[in-house]
Amino acid sequence: MKKAFVVLMILLLLPVVGWTTDWYVRPAGGDYGNEDGTSYDNAWDGFSNIVWGAGGVQAGDTLWLDGEFRESLPIGASGTANNPIRIRAYNEAVINGSDDITSVSWEEESTNVWRYNIGSTDPRIVVFNDTQSGNRVTSDPTAQFKWTYSDPYIKIYSEGEPSSYYSKIEAGVRDCISDAFGDHYVELEGITFTKGRRIVYWNGAPSNVAFIECRFLHNGGGITFRGIDSDTYAENCKVIDCYLNDIRYTPNTDVPFIEFTSYTRSCTVENSTFIGDSTYTYGSDGIIISNSCAGNGFIFNNNSFKYFAENAIDIKNNSTSSVGEDWTVISDNIIERTDQAGIVLHLGASKVEITRNTIRNCSHYGILFIGDNGTEGDYRIAYNLITSNDFAGISDNYSNPVQGN
């Protein structure tokens, strides 16, 4: 009796963790048995048939994706601190935000300019021959792989019928993730996001959302995390061990790979690779903090950045909120070949530590302070290797002490 009582007390003291379920979804249009999501052979038929909440994916569950999906992934439920929702690749999972328009009814508008009525949604990106991102122009296209959009027409350059000139033409007409609003404790792992109008605009103050070991290829917009107000922050979101390559929109337009905006704080980007446009025409920054309101405590650690039309890391405003977050730390990154500076801090940036980074071959300063924040902000800059940039290592208007740079 005494032994049974001790076992009961131990069980009562253990944290409460609910039963968890594995769910499965495969591309729409298949034939998957009962299609109730309960096994791989009975997977849900496409994202639109996923059941979220009671009777479906809920806190603690894992949703397994297998195959290539030409539809947006909706996020329809939140996890908890002890029981996050995990969305993972089963074998290989690809979320493709484009439509294949290779063989649609093209109309030759003028010599070598072909158009198709794609609708009123600007596709933002066009990919040719599966891997060649198109070069968007502001007038009629005049060379291979060039294109433009004039509502409702997409126009491309083609010497003859487009389906003969190109092996494939794909237009990014939808976001890779949709209905992302205010979700919490969701982890996405091992998934490829490609050819989307954007990857995701995560509004409504998401918290504890993580992308882990994901690949982001040829998208018209990046990842945005956005808060609501001083009582409802986007926070503790993470991008870890990811590969981000070729995010572009129109030439010379701000399209960051990752943006933290409007009441965000305490987010992490770590161990990830960022590769932009080697012509420095498309895309803008690797990471932007564009908080119009207070929020700090970001960690950008051990990432690599190469080929950006603007800067690798751009901090416009990150002053500490009433919660009193830690400093923003930018450390152990490799930054090279940006068309502007490596790291930029605008007036409004404060409490930023920049340490042990390598910044080289940039077309401006290695670290640039804009406005008077070089004297007014609160910064720690130490032990960075800043070399072979077109301007000096650190801009002249910075007057705080530096150590070992």
Side-chain angles (χ1 to χ4, degrees):
M1 183 69 180
K2 183 176 180 181
K3 182 177 180 181
F5 176 77
V6 170
V7 171
L8 177 61
M9 290 302 295
I10 291 172
L11 291 173
L12 289 173
L13 291 172
L14 289 173
V16 177
V17 179
W19 295 104
T20 63
T21 304
D22 286 347
W23 300 95
Y24 299 82
V25 60
R26 294 164 70 182
D31 183 6
Y32 311 126
N34 295 330
E35 297 187 349
D36 57 8
T38 56
S39 68
Y40 180 82
D41 291 333
N42 295 288
W44 282 310
D45 184 18
F47 291 153
S48 62
N49 288 305
I50 297 172
V51 177
W52 298 93
V57 182
Q58 54 191 318
D61 291 351
T62 299
L63 174 63
W64 294 97
L65 280 57
D66 187 65
E68 182 173 2
F69 299 82
R70 283 191 184 266
E71 53 184 323
S72 298
L73 172 67
I75 305 295
S78 290
T80 65
N82 290 328
N83 292 288
I85 290 174
R86 297 178 174 91
I87 303 174
R88 293 178 171 172
Y90 183 74
N91 289 307
E92 181 179 11
V94 177
I95 299 177
N96 187 330
S98 74
D99 281 348
D100 187 339
I101 58 171
T102 311
S103 301
V104 298
S105 299
W106 292 98
E107 173 189 356
E108 189 170 17
E109 182 181 78
S110 59
T111 303
N112 295 335
V113 176
W114 294 72
R115 72 179 190 178
Y116 166 64
N117 187 338
I118 199 168
S120 59
T121 300
D122 186 337
R124 294 179 67 106
I125 191 166
V126 174
V127 179
F128 296 91
N129 303 340
D130 202 41
T131 59
Q132 175 65 56
S133 290
N135 297 319
R136 183 168 182 159
V137 293
T138 55
S139 58
D140 283 350
T142 58
Q144 188 179 38
F145 305 128
K146 290 190 175 182
W147 69 282
T148 192
Y149 173 77
S150 178
D151 189 4
Y153 293 102
I154 183 171
K155 300 180 183 181
I156 66 171
Y157 178 89
S158 179
E159 297 174 9
E161 175 64 41
S163 61
S164 299
Y165 192 63
Y166 299 105
S167 61
K168 184 181 286 188
I169 309 166
E170 297 168 283
V173 295
R174 59 187 161 268
D175 292 356
C176 293
I177 298 176
S178 64
D179 301 327
F181 187 90
D183 305 292
H184 312 292
Y185 297 101
V186 177
E187 299 176 0
L188 300 103
E189 184 174 350
I191 302 167
T192 296
F193 299 85
T194 187
K195 302 170 186 173
R197 189 172 184 274
R198 296 177 299 192
I199 298 168
V200 61
Y201 190 88
W202 218 310
N203 208 341
S207 67
N208 297 280
V209 169
F211 291 94
I212 304 166
E213 295 182 355
C214 292
R215 290 166 56 84
F216 306 92
L217 310 173
H218 313 298
N219 291 284
I223 300 168
T224 298
F225 295 109
R226 183 183 179 91
I228 297 175
D229 55 33
S230 58
D231 295 319
T232 318
Y233 272 79
E235 58 188 350
N236 300 320
C237 296
K238 298 179 179 180
V239 177
I240 307 293
D241 295 321
C242 290
Y243 178 82
L244 303 93
N245 186 0
D246 189 24
I247 292 177
R248 59 175 65 200
Y249 182 30
T250 58
N252 306 312
T253 300
D254 283 345
V255 184
F257 280 41
I258 301 175
E259 181 178 23
F260 301 97
T261 183
S262 296
Y263 298 102
T264 53
R265 64 187 178 200
S266 303
C267 296
T268 299
V269 181
E270 195 167 44
N271 301 331
S272 294
T273 299
F274 296 73
I275 300 178
D277 172 28
S278 61
T279 69
Y280 307 112
T281 304
Y282 297 90
S284 57
D285 303 87
I287 300 172
I288 285 184
I289 299 176
S290 59
N291 271 342
S292 57
C293 309
N296 214 337
F298 297 88
I299 297 174
F300 305 144
N301 176 63
N302 200 36
N303 304 289
S304 65
F305 301 85
K306 190 173 185 178
Y307 300 131
F308 284 92
E310 293 187 14
N311 317 288
I313 300 173
D314 190 344
I315 301 181
K316 297 183 183 295
N317 191 323
N318 72 315
S319 55
T320 303
S321 75
S322 59
V323 174
E325 304 91 15
D326 290 336
W327 285 44
T328 285
V329 177
I330 303 172
S331 64
D332 299 291
N333 301 284
I334 297 175
I335 297 170
E336 55 185 329
R337 300 195 180 281
T338 67
D339 204 35
Q340 294 185 17
I343 299 171
V344 176
L345 297 100
H346 293 253
L347 188 63
S350 185
K351 292 190 175 179
V352 180
E353 176 181 306
I354 304 174
T355 56
R356 301 185 306 276
N357 300 282
T358 298
I359 307 173
R360 62 192 177 214
N361 299 315
C362 298
S363 297
H364 212 286
Y365 291 101
I367 301 173
L368 171 63
F369 289 83
I370 294 179
D372 295 329
N373 64 331
T375 56
E376 295 180 2
D378 196 0
Y379 308 102
R380 302 171 186 150
I381 300 179
Y383 306 112
N384 299 284
L385 175 61
I386 307 174
T387 182
S388 302
N389 301 290
D390 286 1
F391 288 33
I394 302 173
S395 58
D396 296 339
N397 60 338
Y398 179 75
S399 60
N400 290 345
V402 297
Q403 184 175 6
N405 295 285

